[in-house]
Structures are given as structure tokens and as C-alpha cells.
Amino acid sequence: MKEAWARWGEEDEAGAVNAIGARQVCDAAALVREGRAFNLAQPISGATAVPKHRSGILHLLGRDGGDYAAGARRPGGFQFSEDTIVMPVHSGTHIDALCHCWYDDQLYNGFSGDTVRSFGAGRCGVDKLPPLVTRGVLLDCVRANGGELVDGASIGLDLVRKALAAAEAEPREGDAILIRTGWQERQAPGANVDFNAEPGIDVEAAEFLAESGVSVVGADNFALEALPFPQGKVFPVHQRLIRDYGIPILEGLVLGELAQAGAKTFLFFCAPLRIVGGTGSPVAPVAVL
């Protein structure tokens, strides 16, 4: 942990994504062979399922066709529409910043938990994360498992290694590791989603990926890790990856179509919104084969 904190300097707030340099970007670009781009994000609407402790998503048009039907002015014949979105940043497909969780009153790199205030995070906010352009590796744990992973199933190191073998890849510095659990594919749009039960990786698997030097870990589920948590633990994978290793987490990815295309390694890019002091950001990651 201390080694991960010290690696990029005492004032670093970006963590493991610092490992993505020009070499990683160029190597990832060289993986493009077919020119097929896959949007890995969920649609955003008022029907998007959100945990009950968070507000729902509001999509409101401030100007629409009805305004003109009611007699709104049309200077020069010009008409337009515009809208407003109000949503929790940790909903749908999103990235967790390094200020999202901590313990012992210390964030990643030893910054005080007191720096996260009601007006935003003074340290490790999502605005400190650069655009992520690197090699993506799809770990299709459903296929590696030989079938559906039931809710609560723990994806351990053995299954992760099996999925890596199927992808013909080893995790390396700067990688974005994307884990298909199948959970998102089982959720019907607008359904009453149970956010307390899902398959996900365990701490040992997370530590293996972190020690391999990867820059980001994501999955197609709500919390990356298995729910319910192991006895006596609360978000143990989040604590290790975000707080201890400085690795941001992607959640709510859409990976079914990418898996059906037989993706293994590919160009991956994702740009968080630069929300100053934000604990996360909605994102629309893209994989290019």
C-alpha cells in the first residue's frame, strides 16, 4: 500500500492511471484491426435503475415543440430545444474517483478524509483523472465459468486466470481490465433491480490485478465486487483498489455485445467529466476492435 502511495509522489491525486503513457496509447491503437467501435455505456433515462439511497434521474426539457405550439417567438424562423439532466454521478455507467471511499480517515496517498466536504472533494476528485486511452482486456468470466454466475458468486483468482488465458493476455502496466459477470445482461430496463446481490471479484483477484500494474478495473455489475459482502466486510475490494492502490473503478458497463464479438484485447478509451471535486462521473466508454 505505502509503495503504491509513494510511487507517483506525495502530492499525486490520480493514482494508477499515471502508468498510462505514450507507449500504452500507441500500443493500444495498434490493436485496431476491424474498425468496429462498441459503446459500453447504459442508456440514461428516468427509467434507469438507481439504488434507493440515491435520487432518481430527472431529464427535463426547458424548451420543446410544445412551447412553439403555445405561441413562443420564432425569431427569423429559428426554433430549438434544450434540456437538463439531474442525476447521481454513481448511477448507470460511471467511474469512481479516488475520493469515493476510504478508511482510517485517509484517502489514497494519505490525504485526510476531512478534505472531502459537502461542497466537493479537496483531494483526489474525479477532475484529477485524465482521459483514459489504453489497452482494454475483456475477462469474460461467464464464458470462463462455463455458464451463468449466480448472484453472490465470488470471482476468485482461479477464474480470473482462466478468463485471462481465454483472452490470451496477461495483465500489464496501464491496462483497463473489464470483467463480464453477466449481471447487467439479466436486468430488465426499468425493473426493480436488487442492488444487494451480484457476482463479482474477491479481494485476492483484485490484489492480483493491482499488483500487475493495471490502471483501471471495471465490470458490468453495480459494485464490481460480490454482494452480499463476506462476513464482517464492507466493500473490501473498493477499499483495496481505490484507497490502497489508487485504482479507479468502472461500474455498470455493458459488455454483452463486446463478448459476443469475441473481443479479447482492444483499444479502450474513457473520459470522465471534469467535475471539480466530484466523487465520480458518468461515462460512455468505448472499445474499438
Side-chain angles (χ1 to χ4, degrees):
M1 176 188 70
K2 296 301 183 184
E3 292 75 14
W5 285 5
R7 181 177 182 188
W8 308 107
E10 294 182 358
E11 293 299 309
D12 176 60
E13 300 178 55
V17 300
N18 283 295
I20 302 174
R23 179 177 62 81
Q24 282 77 15
V25 175
C26 291
D27 287 351
L31 293 172
V32 177
R33 294 288 186 271
E34 304 173 30
R36 299 173 64 193
F38 295 79
N39 190 330
L40 308 183
Q42 300 175 43
I44 296 173
S45 75
T48 302
V50 177
K52 292 181 179 179
H53 70 280
R54 295 174 182 156
S55 62
I57 295 174
L58 297 177
H59 182 198
L60 308 170
L61 266 71
R63 175 61 64 97
D64 58 39
D67 293 305
Y68 296 105
R73 294 178 62 250
R74 311 177 192 195
F78 178 71
Q79 296 171 257
F80 69 97
S81 61
E82 62 183 15
D83 44 3
T84 298
I85 289 283
V86 180
M87 64 183 294
V89 296
H90 297 279
S91 59
T93 306
H94 64 277
I95 192 167
D96 291 347
L98 301 187
C99 62
H100 178 49
C101 68
W102 66 96
Y103 61 89
D104 290 343
D105 295 323
Q106 286 186 304
L107 310 178
Y108 161 74
N109 221 8
F111 296 119
S112 172
D114 289 343
T115 60
V116 183
R117 311 301 294 272
S118 60
F119 48 81
R123 291 284 193 171
C124 299
V126 75
D127 54 302
K128 302 302 194 301
L129 299 179
L132 310 177
V133 183
T134 191
R135 183 180 80 151
V137 182
L138 178 64
L139 301 190
D140 190 343
C141 290
V142 177
R143 186 168 297 171
N145 186 58
E148 179 178 313
L149 289 159
V150 299
D151 288 341
S154 181
I155 297 172
L157 184 53
D158 287 346
L159 187 54
V160 164
R161 287 189 184 278
K162 190 174 180 180
L164 280 166
E168 301 176 343
E170 286 295 324
R172 66 190 188 195
E173 187 172 70
D175 278 351
I177 302 296
L178 311 184
I179 299 168
R180 178 178 176 240
T181 70
W183 184 83
Q184 189 64 238
E185 296 160 49
R186 299 199 300 270
Q187 312 307 315
N192 185 22
V193 175
D194 182 0
F195 289 99
N196 297 305
E198 66 177 25
I201 63 171
D202 65 15
V203 170
E204 183 184 23
E207 289 175 339
F208 164 74
L209 295 172
E211 291 292 338
S212 299
V214 305
S215 284
V216 61
V217 179
D220 60 351
N221 55 13
F222 163 64
L224 178 63
E225 52 196 298
L227 292 170
F229 304 121
Q231 185 68 31
K233 305 290 185 181
V234 177
F235 286 105
V237 171
H238 273 64
Q239 292 185 43
R240 287 297 277 158
L241 290 182
I242 292 177
R243 191 266 198 184
D244 293 348
Y245 285 97
I247 296 175
I249 291 173
L250 284 163
E251 294 164 334
L253 294 167
V254 175
L255 299 177
E257 186 180 0
L258 188 64
Q260 289 174 9
K264 295 180 179 180
T265 58
F266 43 86
L267 170 63
F268 172 85
F269 60 89
C270 171
L273 298 177
R274 301 186 71 181
I275 304 169
V276 177
T279 66
S281 168
V283 290
V286 174
V288 185
L289 304 185

